[in-house]
Amino acid sequence: MKTNQFIKTLFFLPGICYLTEFIVWSLFPKSHLLNAFLGGLWTLGQTGILVILPNLYRRKIAGGSKWKALGVTTAAAGAISYSINYVFGYWLDMNTRMFLPLGALLSGIGMLVTGIQVLIGKRWPGIKGKFPLIVGLYPFLVMFPLLIITGHPDLAAIMGWGIPWLVLGFGMATDTAGNKSNIAGRYSKFDINLKT
């Protein structure tokens, strides 16, 4: 039971990390140390995303075609790309700038596909079922248009992605139906194993 509570806490990690970054970035003067701290928070947020994705898949998408894993796999590749940028770019001083836009693009596309899959699957009724789609739409409605208009990434908009991630984390942490279906799924597998 404590493991479930710990995982539920991790669902909030991307939103909290992104929004904390925004606050710290807004309040403190820019420095090498600040960049290291922000990069660490960003990577911690990506770790939270890598916890959310398999849980979202297992609870709301899994079953039927293996192609259903495409959305979460693409979003996971985006989170890993972001982390590569920080680890190799900051700590190993390698030129990894391509991984930053690649991470945003893959994460956005992956969450957009995942959001559509959740809606089509109708396994998450109500407003909470729209949360993954909101996460997927955010880069295309906010981040990428600002990039096109200004010619450079808007850090406030990027960190603002924490709001939809926080909402999704809340939705997953408070989704009692998903938790019950997970438990029921485990017991039905156990029953099948006993019968054979």
Side-chain angles (χ1 to χ4, degrees), residues 79-128:
I80 291 167
S81 180
Y82 272 135
S83 299
I84 287 172
N85 177 69
Y86 176 66
V87 172
F88 288 91
Y90 185 81
W91 290 108
L92 301 177
D93 203 25
M94 297 171 70
N95 185 0
T96 58
R97 288 182 182 221
M98 69 175 233
F99 287 102
L100 208 52
L102 184 63
L105 186 62
L106 290 174
S107 295
I109 290 171
M111 286 308 297
L112 193 59
V113 170
T114 298
I116 292 168
Q117 289 173 325
V118 169
L119 287 177
I120 290 172
K122 297 180 182 173
R123 286 169 59 181
W124 204 1
I127 189 74
K128 290 180 183 177

Side-chain angles (χ1 to χ4, degrees), residues 90-182:
Y90 185 81
W91 290 108
L92 301 177
D93 203 25
M94 297 171 70
N95 185 0
T96 58
R97 288 182 182 221
M98 69 175 233
F99 287 102
L100 208 52
L102 184 63
L105 186 62
L106 290 174
S107 295
I109 290 171
M111 286 308 297
L112 193 59
V113 170
T114 298
I116 292 168
Q117 289 173 325
V118 169
L119 287 177
I120 290 172
K122 297 180 182 173
R123 286 169 59 181
W124 204 1
I127 189 74
K128 290 180 183 177
K130 294 171 181 58
F131 293 166
L133 184 62
I134 293 168
V135 172
L137 285 172
Y138 183 88
F140 296 99
L141 297 177
V142 180
M143 291 163 47
F144 299 150
L146 285 172
L147 174 65
I148 292 167
I149 292 167
T150 64
H152 57 76
D154 186 302
L155 290 177
I158 294 169
M159 294 173 203
W161 203 3
I163 295 169
W165 278 111
L166 193 60
V167 168
L168 175 59
F170 173 78
M172 289 188 64
T174 59
D175 178 39
T176 54
N179 295 333
K180 287 177 187 170
S181 68
N182 262 357

Side-chain angles (χ1 to χ4, degrees), residues 49-66:
I49 290 170
L50 292 173
V51 170
I52 286 175
L53 293 172
N55 280 283
L56 183 60
Y57 175 77
R58 194 169 42 253
R59 291 182 185 185
K60 304 300 176 191
I61 302 170
S65 168
K66 293 195 186 274

